[in-house]
Amino acid sequence: MRATILRGRAFVVRDERGAPIDDIDTDMIFHNAHLALTDVAQMGRHAFGNLPGWKDFPQQAQPGDILVVGENFGCGSSRQQAVDCFRALRVAALVGESFGAIYQRNAINSGMPLVVAPGVVRRPAGATGHIATGDEIEVDLAGGTLRNVSRGEAVPGAQPLSRVQLDIYQAGDLMAYGATAKG
Amino acid sequence: MGRAIIEKILAAHAGAAAGEVAPGRIVWIDLDVRSARDFGGANVVEQLRRAYPDGPHLDDPRKTFFTFDCVVPANTIPYANNQHACRTFARGAGCRVFDVDSGIGSHVVIEQGLAVPGATVVGTDSHLNILGAVGCFGQGMGDTDIAFAFKTGRTWFEVPESVKVTLVGRPSGRATAKDLALLLCGRLGSKGLLGRVAELYGECIDALPLAGRVTVCSMATEMGAIAAIIPPSTQVLAFCGRRARRPVDGVYADPDAAYAAAVTVDVSELEPQVARPGRPDDVVPVAHVGDVPIDSVFLGSCTNGRLADFVEVARVLRGRRVKAGVNCSAVPATREVYGELLRLGVVERLFRAGVNVSNPGCGGCAAGQIGMTGKGEVQVSTSNRNFTGKQGAGRTYLCSPATAAASAVTGRLCSVAEVVR
Ligand code: SF4
C-alpha cells in the first residue's frame, strides 16, 4: 500500500508580493519547445522553465516537497509532461486551489497525488491556515485534511480523493490499475 | 429531475450505471472514438508497449485513430521519430492514421462522420471539446488516459455540473462567431466555467452554421470548461448524418434539467473584439486597443480554419493587398477545406493578395508549422490561445478572420469597418 498520509516541505507558488499566481498554464510549466521528450527523467529540468522568475525551481525543489499552487493550475494543453516534470523532481504531491480539468486527470492517472484545497494560497501571512514555503505540511488523501505541522495548525478546505482516484493511486497509475481491475 | 445534455450523453454510455449519472459522481463510460495526435501519440504508444509488452494494445482498432496535425510534415527529427513510431504501431495494430496531409484531428473526425451528435470521443488534443459544436462530447486527455482508452475502450469520468449560458440580443453586422467567442471568454474569464459544461442557447447561437459553432465551442477550453455544447440544428444533424452514412439523432436537455448556474450574456450591438497578448480572456472591442502596428498575421487553427473563414478573408482582401512588410499566412484546418479553397479559387485570390497559403494543419497555433514569432514581433492571430511563449517570442492578439484580414491590409490592428465600407 502506498501511504495516504504524506508529509513534506511546502513549496508555495506566489509572486514577489506574496500573492497567488493563478492560471499557470502548461506552457509555463513545461514549454512546448521540449514536447518531443518522452523520457520522464529528462523532464525535471524544464519544470516552470517558462514561468517568469521561476527558472531555478528545478534546483530549489527537493525530493518529497509538496507543491502548493493557486487557481486553475495547469490550464491549457493536455501535455502530460506538465505533470511528469514534477514527478521527475520527485515532488510528492500537488495541493492547489483549483486545477485545469485535464491536468487534474493527468496527475491522478499518473499516480501523482493531487488535492484540491480552495483558498490555500490566498490566505494572507499571519492568518490561520497560511502556508509558507519551507513549512512542513501533512496531507491526508483519503480523509481530505491538510495540516501545517510547523505551525501546529489545521488548514481548512482540503477535499478527499474519490474512491476511484485512491484506487488508481494505490495501483501506481491508471495503466497498472487497468491491469488489475476495470470499472 | 430532468437531465442536462452531458448527463444524457454520459448515461447513454454508462451501461448499467446509467441511473447513477449525476453531477459529482464518477462513472465509467464507453468511448466511441479514441484518438491520439502526433503530439502525445508517441507517449501513448510507449505506455502501451511498456504495460503490455505482448499486446494486444487495442480494444477495437476500428474505433482507434491517429491524427497528425501539430507539426505537419515534421520539421524536427524528434517529431519525425514520434510520428513514425505511431505509424509503425498503427500498421501492426490495424488502426487508421490520418497522416500529415489530413489536417486538424478534431475537424477530421467531424468530416469523417466519426464524431456525431451524442457520441463520446477522446484524444490527446486539449481542444477536442470543440466537438460540442455538433452536440458530441469530446474530451482532451493526457497520454496515460489515452493509452488506457486505446486498451480498454473505456474511462472513468466525474460527471460535470452544467451551466446554461444564454446569449440575448442581436450583434452588429460586423460581429462574427469569433467575436461571440471572445466576448464570452472576456465576460466569463479563464476560470468562469472551470470543470463545468456550458450549454449554449440564444437566437444568435441557433443561427450559427457549423463553422461558427466550431469557432464558439473551440474556446471553451480557454474558459476552463470541460466543454461547451450547442444543441444540434437540423442542418448539423443532416451534415453529420451524411458523413456517418446513417441517420443521427441529437441529444437535447430535458425541459426540467437542473443547472448549477444560469448565465445571460447580452450581445446586442456587439462589435468586433480582440484578446490582448498573454490572456485569451483579456478582451476588449477592437476599437479600444489604440494604435497597434503589426508585423504578422496568422489565419487558421481549429478555431477559424474552416472554408467560411477563408472566404470571409478573401472578401475583405478583394481588390486589396496585404501591406508590404506584413507577413500573412493562411493554413486551412483540413485537407477537405484546402480542396474546397482550391476548387473555389480562394487560394489563388489569397495568393494574389499577398497571403502565404500553406498545407493543412494547426499552422501558427502549434509548434511552428509555418514559423514562430520573434522577439518584439506583434502578431494578429485567429487561433484561440495567446499565452506568452506559445506562438514564439512575440506578442499575439486574438481576433476574427475579418479583423485579421483588415489588419493585414492596414498594417495595424483595426476593425473590418475601416477597410470594407
Ligand atoms: S489549432 Fe492550436 S488549439 Fe487547435 S488543435 Fe491545433 S494546436 Fe490545438
Side-chain angles (χ1 to χ4, degrees), chain B residues 37 104 125 127 301-302 362 365-366 384:
Chain B
R37 321 164 73 177
I104 304 177
D125 167 11
H127 282 86
S301 88
C302 59
C362 293
C365 186
N384 46 54

Side-chain angles (χ1 to χ4, degrees), chain B residues 63-148:
Chain B
K63 295 182 176 175
T64 311
F65 304 90
F66 286 95
T67 59
F68 296 166
D69 50 16
C70 254
V71 181
V72 287
N75 58 16
T76 66
I77 290 173
Y79 254 105
N81 288 343
N82 286 356
Q83 287 173 358
H84 204 61
C86 295
R87 248 178 234 126
T88 322
F89 172 88
R91 271 176 215 148
C95 66
R96 184 160 177 197
V97 177
F98 294 103
D99 218 306
V100 292
D101 58 340
S102 308
I104 304 177
S106 59
H107 287 231
V108 169
V109 293
I110 295 177
E111 291 174 353
Q112 295 286 328
L114 297 167
V116 295
T120 53
V121 180
V122 297
T124 55
D125 167 11
S126 62
H127 282 86
L128 204 56
N129 51 11
I130 205 169
L131 302 176
V134 295
C136 169
F137 176 50
Q139 197 64 162
M141 294 180 174
D143 321 335
T144 310
D145 241 337
I146 297 301
F148 185 84

Side-chain angles (χ1 to χ4, degrees), chain B residues 318-393:
Chain B
R318 173 173 232 130
R320 304 178 180 89
R321 276 192 63 83
V322 172
K323 187 166 187 198
V326 174
N327 176 9
C328 181
S329 300
V331 181
T334 65
R335 182 179 161 82
E336 179 177 315
V337 172
Y338 193 28
E340 284 292 288
L341 292 173
L342 284 169
R343 194 175 64 77
L344 297 173
V346 178
V347 169
E348 184 167 355
R349 285 166 63 192
L350 295 180
F351 172 79
R352 287 184 183 283
V355 180
N356 174 26
V357 186
S358 172
N359 61 308
C362 293
C365 186
Q369 179 192 341
I370 47 125
M372 316 275 292
T373 55
K375 202 167 180 159
E377 180 173 340
V378 177
Q379 181 194 50
V380 164
S381 166
T382 63
S383 74
N384 46 54
R385 276 184 189 159
N386 56 357
F387 299 135
T388 306
K390 178 163 166 74
Q391 284 91 356

